[in-house]
Amino acid sequence: MARAGWDVTVLEKHAIPGGRARYLKAEGFTFDMGPSWYWMPDVFERYFACFGKNVSDYYRLIRLDPSYRVYYPDGPMDVPADLSALQELFESMEPGAGKQLQKFLEEAAYKYEVGINKLVFKPGQSVKEFLDWDLAKGLFKLDVFRSMKAHVAKYFKHPKLVELMEFPVLFLGALPEKTPALYSLMNYADIKGGTWFPEKGMYQIVQAMYDLAVELGVRFEFEQEVTAIDITGSRAKSVQAKTPQGATVSYDADVVIGGADYHHIETQLLPVASRSYTDAYWDSRVMAPGCILYYVGLNKKLNNIQHHSLFFDTSFAIHGKEIYDTKQWPSNPLFYVSAVSVTDPSSAPEGCENLFLLIPVATGLENDTEELRERYFDQIVTRMEKHLGQSIKDAVIYQKSFAHSDFISEYHAFKGNAYGLANTLQQTAVLKPSCRSKKVSNLFYTGQLTVPGPGVPPSLISGEVVAGEVVKAFGKA
């Protein structure tokens, strides 16, 4: 918006920019509080290229190799960054799987190319946007009507390989049987695009975006929690915010773009008559997982641990159903560990380890208590100790948890969601909450609950898409 000549003011509830991608400093440790995977580097490059910049102008990327480690009941498996090495690994587990991986990726490459360039950058305002010859011609190649589970099963039979190819959608969207096979583009992003890490942490992305915005003249007002959007007729006239001292500040606006949780803006900041969606609509949405997070500092280094580790040492199917079908606290969850200090020693005091632990869980769960969080922490760390053959609990010198109630209080997250809406066929493109209000002519939305969907790259794309819609409707300033 600033690039288009608009005078932009950002109202931010917290004391620093970043929202869910904030950082936490404590006891000499620096934790990235939210996103920890850097996939789809081309999307970040595109973002900065919009302003004549490069990612390298702001931070240095390190490619992780292995990309990550997976712990199964019978031991760990490293996923190499090199494709030929990965094919050899697949072949060693299932004869013919190396060639099958190549075929799988050829299909996924098409989906990535067409999906990103033709689908993801659409604002989802009309089905006419999708009357595109390349899309029509390749509709069946995009696999929007077949499930991810059926698609993976066509190529691989070994249970470990199946889980490895299904995990990106389970952690970020929905059960593989409910997710369109279009999302094998995530496997392409993983295997071909690679897993990266910005030197000094994920917050470097936020810092880069903030620095660029300030350079473009954007004004940031921190510790200003928005309390209301004032509507006159069918237009937003101003935005009310509350300062830490309790004073109310009003900002006049020609256009309002909501980057906060969509449901919160609709239900708490707008009068009923100005809301686009009913409570029943929101309650019927299929949510991607929430999560329990732990920020943990150890007073020692762990031996033989990777930057990213996935613990698939319990039932993939049972945990998936507990997230999406029965919607209950998991009985024996899969979990993920990011040991940032393996790559970035500055994230922890010398000789110490910085751990970020994540358990994906259903949204909307009750009884998010300290006792429950402590029980899960004990459960998953016990499993870590078993797999690593090292003690961990006795080395903890800092520990903080973050779960449903925190997502609600800190980010006004609908049902305590961490990732947004699930990527089901019924919640794709025009079937997502609209990036433009249906009732307020100059109110727009960006972020993970509108197009194109959850995750850092889609959220970046969302900003570009909505800015395009505002400029289309109101012109350049």
Side-chain angles (χ1 to χ4, degrees):
M1 293 308 301
R3 185 188 64 175
W6 286 70
D7 178 18
V8 180
T9 300
V10 176
L11 303 180
E12 168 59 56
K13 174 185 175 183
H14 297 112
I16 58 172
R20 294 171 190 238
R22 290 180 298 155
Y23 66 82
L24 167 68
K25 284 185 182 286
E27 308 294 334
F29 297 90
T30 302
F31 301 96
D32 285 312
M33 292 188 70
S36 58
W37 290 78
Y38 195 107
W39 278 1
M40 301 167 74
D42 51 308
V43 174
F44 295 88
E45 287 291 357
R46 177 191 168 108
Y47 175 84
F48 288 103
C50 287
F51 310 97
K53 305 284 188 180
N54 299 304
V55 161
S56 59
D57 295 332
Y58 296 97
Y59 53 87
R60 186 174 81 87
L61 284 175
I62 302 162
R63 183 160 187 180
L64 302 182
D65 187 14
S67 297
Y68 45 93
R69 175 174 288 171
V70 185
Y71 288 89
Y72 293 104
D74 59 354
M77 180 180 83
D78 284 345
V79 177
D82 179 69
L83 177 56
S84 58
L86 185 62
Q87 285 182 277
E88 285 176 24
L89 175 65
F90 273 49
E91 193 66 33
S92 71
M93 296 172 69
E94 180 182 321
K99 284 187 178 174
Q100 287 293 83
L101 177 61
Q102 188 61 49
K103 289 181 186 173
F104 182 96
L105 289 174
E106 283 167 10
E107 277 200 35
Y110 174 82
K111 292 171 188 172
Y112 189 88
E113 185 63 34
V114 175
I116 296 296
N117 293 324
K118 297 283 186 179
L119 288 175
V120 172
F121 280 92
K122 305 284 188 189
Q125 295 296 286
S126 165
V127 290
K128 290 178 183 174
E129 294 168 20
F130 303 94
L131 299 178
D132 179 290
W133 176 241
D134 286 341
L135 276 180
K137 174 171 82 167
L139 189 61
F140 290 100
K141 274 178 80 176
L142 286 173
D143 259 341
V144 291
F145 302 116
R146 180 167 44 174
S147 77
M148 189 67 185
K149 181 167 267 313
H151 182 61
V152 170
K154 191 175 86 168
Y155 291 91
F156 309 105
K157 300 290 181 281
H158 195 291
K160 287 183 182 177
L161 297 184
V162 169
E163 287 184 359
L164 192 63
M165 302 308 276
E166 289 181 352
F167 107 81
V169 300
L170 179 74
F171 266 56
L172 294 177
L175 286 171
E177 53 265 41
K178 301 278 180 69
T179 304
L182 164 69
Y183 287 100
S184 66
L185 64 85
M186 293 291 290
N187 301 102
Y188 181 83
D190 170 7
I191 296 165
K192 294 289 279 187
T195 302
W196 302 78
F197 182 72
E199 191 175 47
K200 296 185 181 171
M202 294 291 283
Y203 194 76
Q204 296 306 303
I205 309 164
V206 174
Q207 191 65 51
M209 293 175 69
Y210 173 70
D211 290 345
L212 174 59
V214 170
E215 186 184 321
L216 291 167
V218 176
R219 185 160 60 107
F220 285 79
E221 297 289 349
F222 294 111
E223 295 185 285
Q224 302 242 345
E225 181 172 359
V226 174
T227 54
I229 299 171
D230 298 321
I231 309 296
T232 302
S234 62
R235 287 181 67 84
K237 289 295 187 183
S238 63
V239 176
Q240 306 290 328
K242 183 177 64 182
T243 69
Q245 295 74 35
T248 296
V249 189
S250 181
Y251 296 88
D252 293 337
D254 296 308
V255 169
V256 175
I257 298 176
D261 186 279
Y262 199 130
H263 173 266
H264 169 72
I265 296 171
E266 275 255 305
T267 60
Q268 301 301 313
L269 307 184
L270 292 176
V272 175
S274 300
R275 297 172 190 171
S276 298
Y277 302 102
T278 63
D279 289 343
Y281 170 87
W282 285 111
D283 284 335
S284 68
R285 295 307 87 193
V286 179
M287 305 303 294
C291 56
I292 307 175
L293 302 173
Y294 300 95
Y295 312 107
V296 180
L298 305 184
N299 64 5
K300 68 176 185 180
K301 300 296 288 182
L302 296 175
N303 299 322
N304 190 28
I305 189 169
Q306 296 295 344
H307 186 117
H308 294 303
S309 297
L310 299 165
F311 284 78
F312 289 177
D313 54 332
T314 59
S315 172
F316 205 82
I318 290 173
H319 189 187
K321 284 184 168 50
E322 288 170 340
I323 294 172
Y324 295 108
D325 288 349
T326 56
K327 292 182 170 53
Q328 64 189 74
W329 291 107
S331 49
N332 201 12
L334 311 174
F335 65 99
Y336 154 68
V337 177
S338 173
V340 175
S341 41
V342 168
T343 309
D344 176 21
S346 72
S347 67
E350 190 174 350
C352 295
E353 207 79 89
N354 174 322
L355 302 179
F356 170 96
L357 286 70
L358 183 154
I359 303 173
V361 295
T363 53
L365 296 176
E366 303 289 337
N367 303 315
D368 169 22
T369 63
E370 285 302 322
E371 292 76 16
L372 175 129
R373 296 182 190 192
E374 199 55 42
R375 177 163 56 83
Y376 277 121
F377 181 74
D378 184 68
Q379 188 178 351
I380 64 175
V381 173
T382 298
R383 281 162 51 193
M384 275 184 75
E385 290 178 326
K386 176 186 163 192
H387 283 284
L388 296 174
Q390 301 163 66
S391 65
I392 295 173
K393 288 175 198 164
D394 61 358
V396 173
I397 54 173
Y398 179 79
Q399 179 187 336
K400 178 181 171 63
S401 62
F402 197 98
H404 284 56
S405 57
D406 302 298
F407 277 98
I408 292 168
S409 65
E410 293 291 305
Y411 309 126
H412 301 300
F414 178 49
K415 295 185 176 179
N417 83 80
Y419 295 106
L421 294 179
N423 281 322
T424 63
L425 187 57
Q426 294 79 22
Q427 293 182 164
T428 297
V430 293
L431 301 177
K432 271 191 164 49
S434 174
C435 68
R436 185 172 187 179
S437 170
K438 299 173 188 296
K439 300 284 186 72
V440 183
S441 63
N442 61 338
L443 174 60
F444 295 78
Y445 295 90
T446 186
Q448 60 187 12
L449 286 174
T450 184
V451 290
V456 177
S459 292
L460 277 185
I461 291 168
S462 176
E464 183 179 340
V465 168
V466 78
E469 289 300 288
V470 175
V471 169
K472 193 162 75 178
F474 293 94
K476 295 188 175 186

